[in-house]
Amino acid sequence: KAGVTQTPRYLIKTRGQQVTLSCSPISGHRSVSWYQQTPGQGLQFLFEYFSETQRNKGNFPGRFSGRQFSNSRSEMNVSTLELGDSALYLCASSLMTGNEAFFGQGTRLTVV
Amino acid sequence: QKEVEQDPGPLSVPEGAIVSLNCTYSNSAFQYFMWYRQYSRKGPELLMYTYSSGNKEDGRFTAQVDKSSKYISLFIRDSQPSDSATYLCAMSSHNAGGTSYGKLTFGQGTILTVHP
């Protein structure tokens, strides 16, 4: 069974630009969560979607947003990029609750 | 104080050793506990998932949860060089309002090296 797929794997953007990252969950999984991973802060929760609804949100500014489609695929968007947004962005899928989550390989975003 | 504390190591052991990795937590609402392994430049891989106190075994891995002490452990028996990675503990709660959905709280990760 296919795992969680994230695209693209690598991105380089300039400060002030915006970026959209994509995540395809494991087939049958309806919960999709997003995390930011940095060396200093570790893995931090961004938000979680289930049945196209955001059920939970972490402590990130409004520049970070997301959505989920009817086929459970999800996207996250970061507007007005800052240097500090450089990180590995990870998507995780689970059946229902967000527990027992399976992660994708991540998108490494570099902001210059 | 962080909700989840994990010794970052690094931890270096010889091949065949038993490895013990640990996390402590302060939030008594945490009910679900996971261990992930992350290789360099890869996403975390789920190793163990449990939601009760006690032990759970899967091959060379044993997860142990002690809710009364707010302490979880992962034991790796007969460690191999391929086990060299960062190990992350993660936890979640599930309250009636559902506001904890999808949110895993992670430790900082322990870097493990198993040398031949």
Side-chain angles (χ1 to χ4, degrees):
Chain A
K1 153 164 138 172
V4 178
T5 303
Q6 290 188 246
T7 56
R9 290 292 312 278
Y10 302 93
L11 267 177
I12 299 176
K13 290 287 187 178
T14 304
R15 268 184 306 173
Q17 286 186 314
Q18 74 161 12
V19 66
T20 299
L21 312 181
S22 181
C23 172
S24 293
I26 292 171
S27 178
H29 283 193
R30 296 169 64 189
S31 168
V32 175
S33 299
W34 289 88
Y35 292 83
Q36 181 194 67
Q37 186 175 30
T38 59
Q41 298 298 317
L43 272 143
Q44 293 187 286
F45 173 74
L46 281 156
F47 29 64
E48 187 259 3
Y49 287 88
F50 179 85
S51 291
E52 302 178 67
T53 300
Q54 186 183 88
R55 291 195 299 190
N56 201 357
K57 189 177 188 307
N59 295 324
F60 279 82
R63 300 185 296 108
F64 292 81
S65 63
R67 60 177 176 169
Q68 186 181 34
F69 302 96
S70 58
N71 61 358
S72 293
R73 193 177 68 85
S74 178
E75 290 180 347
M76 69 163 280
N77 183 277
V78 189
S79 62
T80 319
L81 284 165
E82 300 176 359
L83 295 178
D85 297 333
S86 295
L88 180 66
Y89 289 89
L90 292 159
C91 165
S93 78
S94 68
L95 280 170
M96 298 279 286
T97 64
N99 297 323
E100 200 173 14
F102 296 85
F103 282 82
Q105 298 288 47
T107 294
R108 184 161 297 280
L109 172 65
T110 302
V111 183
V112 298
Chain B
Q1 183 191 1
K2 295 190 177 205
E3 282 188 289
V4 180
E5 298 279 359
Q6 182 176 6
D7 187 341
L11 186 59
S12 180
V13 301
E15 183 174 355
I18 296 174
V19 176
S20 172
L21 304 164
N22 311 295
C23 287
T24 58
Y25 61 96
S26 57
N27 187 347
S28 57
F30 286 144
Q31 302 174 41
Y32 306 94
F33 305 92
M34 286 135 278
W35 284 97
Y36 288 87
R37 176 174 64 193
Q38 186 174 25
Y39 293 113
S40 180
R41 300 191 172 278
K42 301 287 187 182
E45 172 194 5
L46 180 63
L47 290 175
M48 301 289 281
Y49 167 65
T50 184
Y51 49 85
S52 59
S53 283
N55 294 351
K56 180 178 180 180
E57 189 174 316
D58 184 359
R60 296 185 295 113
F61 299 94
T62 299
Q64 191 174 77
V65 173
D66 183 345
K67 289 186 179 180
S68 63
S69 300
K70 297 189 181 71
Y71 187 89
I72 70 169
S73 299
L74 178 71
F75 298 96
I76 307 174
R77 289 183 299 281
D78 187 26
S79 56
Q80 302 295 309
S82 58
D83 294 328
S84 298
T86 298
Y87 288 80
L88 297 149
C89 63
M91 328 189 165
S92 69
S93 59
H94 180 184
N95 59 30
T99 56
S100 61
Y101 279 127
K103 180 181 178 181
L104 300 181
T105 301
F106 284 84
Q108 284 294 98
T110 298
I111 300 170
L112 171 68
T113 301
V114 181
H115 50 86

